[in-house]
Amino acid sequence: MRWHTLSPLVAKDLALFFRNRFFAFITILGLAAYVGLYLAMPQTVDEIIEVGLHARSDAEPVTEILNAQGLSFLSMDSEQELRQAVLDGVVMGGILLPEGMLADLAQGARPTVAVLVPSDTPAEMREVMVVLVEALALGLSGSPLNLVVHEETLGPDMGGSQIPPRDRMLPLLAVVVLMMETLGLASLIAEEIQTGTLRALMITPLGVGELFAAKGFTSVTMTFAQVSLLMLIIGGLQHQPLLILLTLLLGSLMVTGIGFLMASWGKEMLSVMGIGMLVIIVLSIPPFGVLFPGTVTAWARLIPSHHLADTIHQVANLGAGWGQVWQNLVILLAVDVLLFGLGIAVLKRKLR
Amino acid sequence: MANAAIVADSLTYRYGELTAVDRISFQVAEGEVLGFLGPNGAGKTTTVRMLTGQLRPMEGTATILGLDVARMPKAVQAQIGVCFETANLYEQMTAVENLRLFGRLFGVKDLNVEALLARVGLDGRGKDRVAGYSKGMRQRLMVARALVNRPRILFLDEPTEGLDPVSAEAIRNLVLEERERGVTVLLTTHNMLEADRLSDRVAFVNQGRIVALDTPHNLKQQYGKRTVKAQVAGEQGRLETRQVTLDAPDTASALQALFSQERVITVHSEEASLEDIFVQLTGRRLTQ
């Protein structure tokens, strides 16, 4: 590998990247937009789940009993008001107590309690609401629950200090920034294949290995610099900066391999962008799972970006160290080697 | 051939079922210009790609300056200059940047970009981006790029195709200058006049094979017919054309009859063109 051969190629690629107004624009504007998006996301998490309550009668005694037991509901004056609050999302759900409920409970009858939930409430949440009503009924009947609940928190107790959405978004931002930069470089390679400039390069003493080394160096440097700068600005490097930077470097290698593949599949900028958008969507699934826990099933672990997103989340948001994430890093490195090798093999074939 | 710069020995290449190059063999001496003539799809470009290390021959060998191209492509490529059929320049870079990039890749330390641009008539335009160049300017820059490493062998693939007369002439003069410097040139073209003017020898390529290889003069001697074409005043003063073939047994009497029996207005001697010979040998035209 000869540096005097690599350096003009790297300089050429950087010049071409920034002379493409579109990519130059989205690189600079993108950085500002990602920072803006991060800042626009909530900084805190509201841990209170508000539930509305309307008792057709006995409203005062019911509220007193519940308050005495430490349960607080948003009391509604009418059934209509409760229904509207549920529909408007003011409360997560509503509980409608029937008339004469306290008396019925005292006589051992089984009054019917209506639980109101919005149509998009997950099944798990509906079950929680039903359990809540059952607990409520026990409280109102004066019968204490005949068991002691012992709570044990596994891992760091995040109660009262939940991860804000903006920090949950760090892995997603990292993946998107890495991929956006890679799109530009993949487009340049595709264009070089299409216009035949790569053929012209290959008729010089430049070896195929040197060509890919130069392309890889440019891509990794650009993506790594961009994503590291973003992380620095939004505070993603506050905890274990070296570990985060290493993860981002491995992420840069991963997307460069993917970039090589995209460049060989696409013919010019538009087709590379089209393919790239699909790839971004797929790669964004694991970080979406971090942003919205419970929305992504286990198969998302098979997506190459999972180990990148998970490591950033573990380290930046949960305070994990080398010991907790080393397996992720090893897998990420293996994915890099695989994608890089595959990308180079496919591109080499296309060059022939 | 004693000092063969290019040796092609039974070169063969197939694209699937199609045999693009079918056991082509020829040699080009150092300092010689060989015109490679043939219509589109004849196998010219594929042959050049094998000779320049862009394609690996499926059969046969290519030797450049004594080096086996398939085994040492990079050593070969360091000593050759290639001008492609279609412009493949970095459009968002200037001419100077394009030439400097390739100069550095070839390891040329004393590259005089301005002098090189002046040779192809692009002096003063070096700092303009190639995207703003005309087709002729791009092609001239392509030729300049092929010269950055002062190659011992030049491969020019249709270098004047579709160019304006000024640009085409500039490139032709450059080929002649390079020949004067002792550079070997393989000129791929289907422009027979260009081949006739620039080439020491020409090879006719058709359907992946060389059907004739000799100097233009010898080919004309061997396959062409010299004629005298005369315009005579016909009935009611209309011009009519008469043609007398030279080198025929009755040439003398036919010429005598022409001048004694007709009122000759103009007389021109003509020899066969390379195009005529190509058609005669292959039944196809070069521009097909």
Side-chain angles (χ1 to χ4, degrees):
Chain A
M1 209 69 69
R2 300 162 299 168
W3 177 246
H4 75 270
T5 310
L6 298 190
S7 60
L9 287 177
V10 172
K12 180 262 299 174
D13 282 340
L14 289 176
L16 289 177
F17 185 90
F18 286 104
R19 281 179 197 180
N20 182 315
R21 283 181 193 166
F22 177 70
F23 290 123
F25 186 67
I26 62 163
T27 296
I28 296 160
L29 187 78
L31 191 61
Y34 303 134
V35 172
L37 188 62
Y38 173 81
L39 295 174
M41 294 291 278
Q43 199 174 2
T44 54
V45 177
D46 187 359
E47 294 186 51
I48 298 166
I49 297 175
E50 279 201 297
V51 177
L53 181 80
H54 171 66
R56 285 190 173 128
S57 63
D58 316 320
E60 212 167 298
V62 164
T63 310
E64 276 174 20
I65 294 169
L66 292 175
N67 283 343
Q69 296 184 0
L71 293 170
S72 173
F73 293 84
L74 197 61
S75 187
M76 300 287 173
D77 292 336
S78 68
E79 181 182 339
Q80 186 56 36
E81 193 182 341
L82 177 65
R83 285 180 181 277
Q84 198 58 48
V86 171
L87 285 173
D88 294 346
V90 176
V91 290
M92 268 211 64
I95 297 169
L96 187 59
L97 302 181
E99 201 157 344
M101 182 179 158
L102 284 177
D104 288 348
L105 282 172
Q107 289 166 14
R110 288 171 59 87
T112 301
V113 176
V115 171
L116 309 175
V117 288
S119 58
D120 59 349
T121 303
E124 297 90 337
M125 201 61 212
R126 292 171 197 225
E127 284 171 25
V128 167
M129 289 290 289
V130 172
V131 170
L132 184 66
V133 171
E134 287 167 358
L136 185 70
L138 276 172
L140 292 173
S141 65
S143 311
L145 200 57
N146 198 19
L147 57 94
V148 177
V149 178
H150 167 67
E151 183 185 297
E152 185 182 349
T153 305
L154 301 174
D157 188 356
M158 306 298 285
S161 59
Q162 290 289 322
I163 304 162
R166 60 163 58 174
D167 290 337
R168 284 194 171 276
M169 206 167 61
L170 288 178
L172 182 63
L173 286 176
V175 168
V176 171
V177 170
L178 286 171
M179 277 308 297
M180 288 306 281
E181 287 300 291
T182 308
L183 273 185
L185 292 156
S187 300
L188 283 182
I189 297 174
E191 204 174 292
E192 283 200 79
I193 293 170
Q194 190 67 14
T195 57
T197 45
L198 273 190
R199 262 181 69 208
L201 291 179
M202 294 319 299
I203 280 214
T204 68
L206 178 74
V208 180
E210 290 170 316
L211 175 74
F212 285 111
K215 293 277 177 208
F217 181 82
T218 311
S219 176
V220 170
T221 306
M222 287 279 293
T223 50
F224 180 64
Q226 172 95 341
V227 76
S228 300
L229 186 61
L230 176 74
M231 285 291 169
L232 184 70
I233 294 170
I234 62 181
L237 298 179
Q238 283 174 352
H239 180 72
Q240 293 272 23
L242 278 180
L243 187 48
I244 293 278
L245 286 173
L246 176 67
T247 309
L248 296 177
L249 183 62
L250 291 172
S252 302
L253 283 164
M254 179 186 78
V255 293
T256 299
I258 293 171
F260 285 164
L261 286 171
M262 290 193 307
S264 59
W265 293 330
K267 285 191 173 171
E268 28 52 59
M269 188 174 139
L270 273 182
S271 56
V272 170
M273 296 289 274
I275 296 166
M277 285 303 159
L278 284 175
V279 175
I280 288 179
I281 289 170
V282 173
L283 292 185
S284 297
I285 292 172
F288 256 110
V290 173
L291 184 57
F292 303 109
T295 55
V296 174
T297 47
W299 63 263
R301 289 171 177 271
L302 297 174
I303 298 172
S305 57
H306 165 75
H307 300 283
L308 171 69
D310 188 51
T311 308
I312 295 173
H313 176 58
Q314 296 276 342
V315 177
N317 294 333
L318 302 175
W322 295 88
Q324 286 87 45
V325 296
W326 69 269
Q327 282 177 318
N328 264 354
L329 296 180
V330 170
I331 295 170
L332 199 52
L333 182 63
V335 167
D336 288 352
V337 171
L338 182 74
L339 287 174
F340 223 83
L342 195 64
I344 288 175
V346 174
L347 254 188
K348 259 171 113 172
R349 198 174 160 177
K350 180 129 184 182
L351 276 179
R352 283 194 212 117
Chain B
M1 194 175 283
N3 309 324
I6 302 172
V7 180
D9 183 14
S10 300
L11 284 182
T12 304
Y13 199 87
R14 296 180 204 90
Y15 294 104
E17 294 292 305
L18 176 74
T19 303
V21 176
D22 191 4
R23 286 165 289 159
I24 274 185
S25 297
F26 65 92
Q27 296 187 4
V28 188
E30 279 189 43
E32 184 185 15
V33 177
L34 177 72
F36 223 51
L37 268 87
N40 290 334
K44 307 185 300 288
T45 299
T46 303
T47 304
V48 169
R49 285 188 176 182
M50 285 190 280
L51 290 170
T52 54
Q54 297 176 72
L55 282 179
R56 201 180 176 89
M58 289 173 169
E59 288 169 33
T61 55
T63 311
I64 300 289
L65 298 166
L67 301 168
D68 185 333
V69 180
R71 287 173 58 200
M72 289 178 282
K74 290 297 152 190
V76 168
Q77 285 159 355
Q79 302 195 61
I80 64 173
V82 181
C83 178
F84 295 83
E85 185 180 1
T86 48
N88 54 358
L89 298 155
Y90 287 103
E91 303 245 327
Q92 295 307 318
M93 288 164 62
T94 66
V96 170
E97 287 171 334
N98 268 280
L99 295 181
R100 284 218 176 110
L101 168 67
F102 281 82
R104 289 183 72 183
L105 293 177
F106 276 107
V108 181
K109 291 191 169 66
D110 57 344
L111 179 65
N112 188 338
V113 173
E114 293 305 326
L116 199 49
L117 287 172
R119 282 191 71 193
V120 294
L122 289 175
D123 37 336
R125 299 297 304 270
K127 289 181 180 169
D128 295 345
R129 283 195 190 174
V130 176
Y133 277 20
S134 67
K135 185 178 179 185
M137 291 166 74
R138 283 167 204 230
Q139 196 62 31
R140 281 185 272 164
L141 183 58
M142 292 271 291
V143 175
R145 189 180 69 184
L147 296 173
V148 289
N149 58 328
R150 297 183 200 92
R152 289 175 65 187
I153 301 178
L154 257 182
F155 290 89
L156 303 175
D157 196 353
E158 308 280 2
T160 59
E161 171 76 4
L163 293 193
D164 61 281
V166 175
S167 296
E169 193 58 19
I171 290 173
R172 288 182 196 122
N173 288 336
L174 210 124
V175 172
L176 293 173
E177 283 171 30
E178 288 300 307
R179 183 173 66 174
E180 286 299 306
R181 284 182 47 229
V183 172
T184 307
V185 181
L186 194 140
L187 173 70
T188 303
T189 181
H190 53 246
N191 182 333
M192 43 137 190
L193 294 173
E194 184 172 276
D196 201 352
R197 180 180 156 199
L198 301 178
S199 310
D200 297 307
R201 290 189 302 153
V202 292
F204 287 158
V205 187
N206 187 44
Q207 294 177 335
R209 294 185 175 194
I210 291 180
V211 292
L213 173 59
D214 211 330
T215 63
H217 177 75
N218 285 349
L219 286 171
K220 288 171 193 171
Q221 285 282 314
Q222 191 178 349
Y223 299 103
K225 284 182 183 169
R226 296 184 302 141
T227 57
V228 165
K229 205 176 261 184
Q231 283 191 312
V232 298
E235 288 177 13
Q236 297 169 344
R238 281 191 312 178
L239 285 178
E240 292 175 8
T241 302
R242 302 281 184 269
Q243 193 166 305
V244 178
T245 304
L246 300 178
D247 308 319
D250 62 340
T251 301
S253 57
L255 281 173
Q256 195 177 15
L258 175 71
F259 282 97
S260 61
Q261 294 169 16
E262 309 259 21
R263 196 159 73 84
V264 177
I265 310 296
T266 63
V267 178
H268 298 282
S269 64
E270 285 190 346
E271 63 178 2
S273 69
L274 291 177
E275 171 96 33
D276 297 333
I277 298 166
F278 189 88
V279 173
Q280 190 183 328
L281 287 170
T282 65
R284 300 172 70 186
R285 302 198 72 81
L286 281 166
T287 49
Q288 276 178 337

